[in-house]
Amino acid sequence: MLAAIRNRFFALFEVRTIMSAPSRAASFTAGVRDTFPMIVGAAPFGLIFGALVATTPMATWHGQLMSLTVFAGSSQFIAAGLFATGVGYVVLWATTLIVNLRHMLYAANLLPHVRHLNLRWRCLLGFTLTDETFAVTSSHFHKHPDDPMGHWYFLGSGVSMYLNWQLWTLAGLLFGAAFPRLQTLGLDFAMVATFIAIIVPQMARMPWAVATVVAGTAAYLCQGLPYKLGLLVAVTLGIVAGMITLHLRRRGNGLTQGSTPGGAR
């Protein structure tokens, strides 16, 4: 009797293992597939970054190391540009920190879907989080909020963007020295189009729309500030405006629910 129960238990465990493995692979592959349009748009961006590094005092391997460890396109462009102008490290670090503060909003948005994961998983997913990955992953969780394999989808999106960024950074570093005018070919428009594709769908939500309008207006008005400080001002004001709008909206929803008979206390 005990042997029969044991055999049945192990058979059930094997079936669950066989079923879960394809689910992980399928979710990972789906993340890669849905991120592919973003990968195409980011490719010229990585190529231009590699070419930009080739025109700065930085060594070639510095650019690749930055892509491997930082993995943040906008911050890498700003850091390379500031380094070329000879600014101090404090200004460089502060600038890239503020530019990347938007990832705090991304993380706060995705946290309910990855809260159950252990620290290693959360650190891995946090490192691969980019604008493109957030756009794809947040859309997936919006459609499938209870997906048990959502973190594998997230990982597929992040890893595909990471490998793509490394490949095109290397290509830019190799071809940048041979073709010094590579940056003048207008390849950067592909990334502009990609960011438009990321931002416009998100503007259906009021906090995102407010943050976008405020940040865009501030960036235009402050574009003359030195050391790209206008971008810092725009990012800061956009984040603050978005968080205030989100807070007011949640507070308004709470007051509305509290005024209903079911919500009265």
Side-chain angles (χ1 to χ4, degrees):
M1 182 67 179
L2 292 176
I5 295 176
R6 183 187 62 186
N7 293 336
R8 184 175 181 82
F9 172 80
F10 281 112
L12 179 61
F13 179 79
E14 290 175 0
V15 170
R16 290 185 63 183
T17 302
I18 293 173
M19 291 179 63
S20 63
S23 298
R24 295 171 184 173
S27 297
F28 185 93
T29 304
V32 175
R33 180 198 62 220
D34 294 345
T35 310
F36 185 76
M38 303 294 182
I39 290 176
V40 174
F45 200 48
L47 187 66
I48 295 172
F49 170 72
L52 174 64
V53 170
T55 64
T56 67
M58 291 192 297
T60 301
W61 66 272
H62 289 161
Q64 193 66 55
L65 181 63
M66 189 183 294
S67 287
L68 287 168
T69 58
V70 178
F71 187 44
S74 56
S75 294
Q76 291 180 224
F77 267 93
I78 292 173
L82 291 177
F83 186 82
T85 62
V87 301
Y89 286 110
V90 174
V91 174
L92 193 152
W93 289 335
T95 303
T96 54
L97 173 64
I98 295 177
V99 168
N100 275 342
L101 282 178
R102 69 189 188 280
H103 287 80
M104 295 181 64
L105 292 178
Y106 298 167
N109 182 279
L110 296 175
L111 180 60
H113 306 287
V114 299
R115 191 192 305 272
H116 64 285
L117 301 175
N118 58 45
L119 181 61
R120 287 182 298 176
W121 259 105
R122 295 199 305 270
C123 288
L124 176 61
L125 296 178
F127 176 74
T128 62
L129 181 60
T130 62
D131 301 305
E132 297 84 359
T133 299
F134 171 74
V136 173
T137 305
S138 63
S139 177
H140 174 79
F141 281 129
H142 181 71
K143 298 175 184 176
H144 311 283
D146 300 320
D147 183 6
M149 293 293 172
H151 54 294
W152 286 97
Y153 180 95
F154 191 159
L155 183 64
S157 176
V159 169
S160 60
M161 283 298 302
Y162 182 79
L163 295 178
N164 178 70
W165 184 248
Q166 308 311 318
L167 173 65
W168 289 104
T169 296
L170 179 60
L173 291 169
L174 295 177
F175 289 104
F179 303 97
R181 297 182 61 84
L182 188 63
Q183 302 174 61
T184 64
L185 299 180
L187 298 177
D188 53 337
F189 179 75
M191 201 59 192
V192 174
T194 300
F195 274 108
I196 291 175
I198 292 173
I199 293 172
V200 171
Q202 304 296 336
M203 291 184 69
R205 310 174 204 177
M206 182 58 67
W208 293 93
V210 172
T212 301
V213 172
V214 171
T217 302
Y220 177 78
L221 295 176
C222 301
Q223 58 183 322
L225 295 179
Y227 301 124
K228 300 185 183 296
L229 292 176
L231 182 59
L232 304 187
V233 174
V235 171
T236 303
L237 292 179
I239 291 175
V240 171
M243 294 183 70
I244 291 176
T245 305
L246 182 62
H247 174 73
L248 293 176
R249 189 175 184 182
R250 287 177 175 174
R251 184 178 180 182
N253 291 339
L255 292 175
T256 302
Q257 293 177 1
S259 64
T260 61
R265 296 176 181 268

